[in-house]
Amino acid sequence: MKLFYYHDSGGNFGDDLNAWLWPRLVPELLDDDEGTLFVAIGSILDRRIPQGPRKVIFGTGVGYGLLPVLNEEWRIYCVRGPLTARALGLPPSLAITDPAVLVRTVRAGRTTKAQRISFIPHFRTPARVQEVGLDLQRVCAALGIDYIDPRGDVEEVLSSIEGSGKVVAEAMHGAIVADALRIPWVAVQCFDQILNLKWWDWCRSLGMIYNPLRYAADRGARPEVDFARFLDDASARAQPVLSAAAITDEATRRLLVQLEHLKAGAEGHCTEGSADHVPDPEVLREVPWLYEMQKALQELAAVIRAGSTFIMVDEERWGGGQVLAGRYTLPFLEHQGKYWGLPANSSTAIAELERLRQAGAEYIAFMRPSFWWLDFYAGLHDYLRNHYGVLAESERVVVFAL
């Protein structure tokens, strides 16, 4: 059974916990056999999970991309929370909690009361703050706060969390591990990259409320002064959260029971032939942009054939090339496979379009957040209309066949 999870080349504590935790808990079950995939920590219950292999689901959640179609290939032992269960039509009993809570079974946590306050941002935040000239480590040092890099080594991140008396967390798994080790935490949002749905899913599984302190930049202040004020409020004045010990203990016990079932060879829940529970993708309406993304991706999947390459104009707001399984997507502008910002003008955009077309792109799709391109880059829009056919056009997507 092969461990399957999302890999970010720059590192991401939450996802990377998989490679740290499961070899410690179920080493006898893991190998390189791709005939069975073990899917646990992460928000990847979508169509990025390959079709064909048998899937063992242990605490994963929905969050990005198209919802999967469950069949006899899937064995579900538990999912992250009630929103995931509802979205996939699974019994509520399978909604236990995020399996990262099992860190507490292999790490005892601190033995003496710590006073240090730590801050762990979302793994994409360090790169984003560089754009505004903000040095997170320097801000934290000036406030006497321990900065935890979410892209760092898992062991080092765990040790830093264990040594904290309070954790200010934009990274959800920073909060999950803190909560599991009984360290109070404060949720914050520094940028709009945070997916509320997954936080709600986890928090509701343990009877908590997700109510983050949101950063709103003061355009009249210097970035570091502005952010320091926000972080000071979060660390010194915001009310910290901690799940009830009895609830977390019970969730841990239930996860361990399911883990023993898995180790003993007991089959998990199978949806094949079951009419007791109906998937409820409308649960995604609780996050309007995610609901709209699901609808838009469904429209793309209906017109862009599987196995093809297409250009996705979304300014990386909807996940770029990681959201439509079975199709290879290119960002626009593109450089070495990565998003390279906005074109300077229509001529630049047309030249890049033709370069990517000659390299194999068969379609270009504009997602609604980028519809302004069709007005601002009028020359590009006219070029597409005059040279290529409109394959689909709706309130969510515009697709041209190249």
Side-chain angles (χ1 to χ4, degrees):
M1 183 165 64
K2 187 171 183 176
L3 190 58
F4 181 87
Y5 62 97
Y6 173 71
H7 293 264
D8 186 272
S9 59
N12 177 20
F13 172 64
D15 296 314
D16 295 343
L17 266 174
N18 283 288
W20 184 94
L21 181 62
W22 301 113
R24 287 169 168 78
L25 291 179
V26 289
E28 68 277 20
L29 298 183
L30 300 178
D31 52 37
D32 291 325
D33 180 7
E34 297 184 354
T36 301
L37 304 179
F38 181 63
V39 189
I41 300 170
S43 300
I44 58 173
L45 270 177
D46 55 47
R47 298 189 192 183
R48 286 174 295 176
I49 299 177
Q51 297 180 8
R54 185 172 182 266
K55 271 77 72 172
V56 172
I57 306 302
F58 198 91
T60 323
V62 300
Y64 304 95
L66 288 170
L67 295 177
V69 177
L70 305 183
N71 55 31
E72 70 281 358
E73 299 168 355
W74 298 71
R75 291 296 183 272
I76 302 174
Y77 289 82
C78 53
V79 293
R80 183 180 54 210
L83 297 182
T84 292
R86 277 179 54 198
L88 297 179
L90 298 173
S93 60
L94 292 178
I96 300 180
T97 195
D98 193 292
V101 73
L102 293 178
V103 164
R104 69 200 308 243
T105 67
V106 290
R107 298 291 286 241
R110 64 176 185 267
T111 56
T112 58
K113 187 173 182 179
Q115 300 298 324
R116 187 167 76 242
I117 297 174
S118 299
F119 169 55
I120 179 167
H122 184 274
F123 80 103
R124 295 200 187 279
T125 291
R128 292 196 65 174
V129 297
Q130 290 181 0
E131 299 174 3
V132 295
L134 178 58
D135 187 328
L136 289 180
Q137 295 189 51
R138 187 163 60 202
V139 171
C140 288
L143 294 172
I145 293 174
D146 183 34
Y147 175 73
I148 302 176
D149 190 338
R151 305 162 301 179
D153 177 76
V154 169
E155 186 68 39
E156 293 178 3
V157 174
L158 285 172
S159 296
S160 295
I161 293 174
E162 285 175 328
S164 304
K166 182 194 298 182
V167 173
V168 177
E170 187 185 29
M172 186 178 77
H173 282 93
I176 290 173
V177 170
D179 195 84
L181 299 178
R182 313 316 296 153
I183 300 167
W185 52 275
V186 174
V188 297
Q189 285 189 7
C190 303
F191 292 102
D192 58 1
Q193 63 212 357
I194 304 302
L195 181 64
N196 291 333
L197 178 73
K198 65 182 184 181
W199 277 88
W200 292 336
D201 200 24
W202 166 60
C203 284
R204 292 180 190 183
S205 76
L206 297 179
M208 299 182 292
I209 296 174
Y210 176 56
N211 186 26
L213 184 66
R214 293 177 171 84
Y215 173 59
D218 183 350
R219 297 184 182 276
R222 289 185 294 130
E224 291 195 3
V225 173
D226 189 24
F227 193 83
R229 186 182 303 115
F230 163 74
L231 196 55
D232 187 51
D233 286 342
S235 61
R237 284 174 280 281
Q239 181 64 39
V241 178
L242 192 63
S243 65
I247 293 176
T248 297
D249 288 346
E250 174 60 14
T252 303
R253 183 195 69 79
R254 291 174 62 198
L255 285 176
L256 291 173
V257 167
Q258 292 297 88
L259 204 58
E260 288 303 314
H261 288 166
L262 173 61
K263 291 161 70 174
E267 291 285 0
H269 176 81
C270 178
T271 59
E272 180 70 8
S274 174
D276 295 336
H277 302 279
V278 179
D280 179 19
E282 294 297 300
V283 70
L284 300 180
R285 281 188 181 273
E286 297 193 40
V287 186
W289 73 264
L290 182 60
Y291 178 81
E292 289 299 312
M293 185 184 79
Q294 289 278 327
K295 295 295 186 183
L297 293 176
Q298 289 171 2
E299 293 179 21
L300 288 182
V303 298
I304 295 178
R305 63 179 179 80
S308 62
T309 298
F310 76 100
I311 302 165
M312 188 173 187
V313 184
D314 72 336
E315 301 167 62
E316 284 203 320
R317 296 184 185 183
W318 283 9
Q322 300 164 6
V323 294
L324 198 61
R327 293 119 176 123
Y328 181 62
T329 61
L330 296 168
F332 196 72
L333 299 175
E334 181 269 348
H335 179 68
Q336 296 183 349
K338 296 182 179 180
Y339 176 59
W340 207 245
L342 301 174
N345 49 47
S346 288
S347 296
T348 301
I350 292 169
E352 176 69 358
L353 169 73
E354 288 301 324
R355 180 183 73 83
L356 293 177
R357 186 181 68 83
Q358 292 174 17
E362 300 171 62
Y363 312 87
I364 183 170
F366 292 83
M367 314 302 284
R368 188 166 65 179
S370 298
F371 275 7
W372 65 270
W373 280 54
L374 301 175
D375 293 322
F376 187 82
Y377 298 107
L380 170 66
H381 191 186
D382 289 343
Y383 183 84
L384 286 166
R385 295 276 179 181
N386 292 330
H387 289 78
Y388 303 110
V390 178
L391 191 62
E393 189 167 8
S394 73
E395 61 181 13
R396 299 182 180 91
V397 299
V398 178
V399 184
F400 294 89
L402 303 179

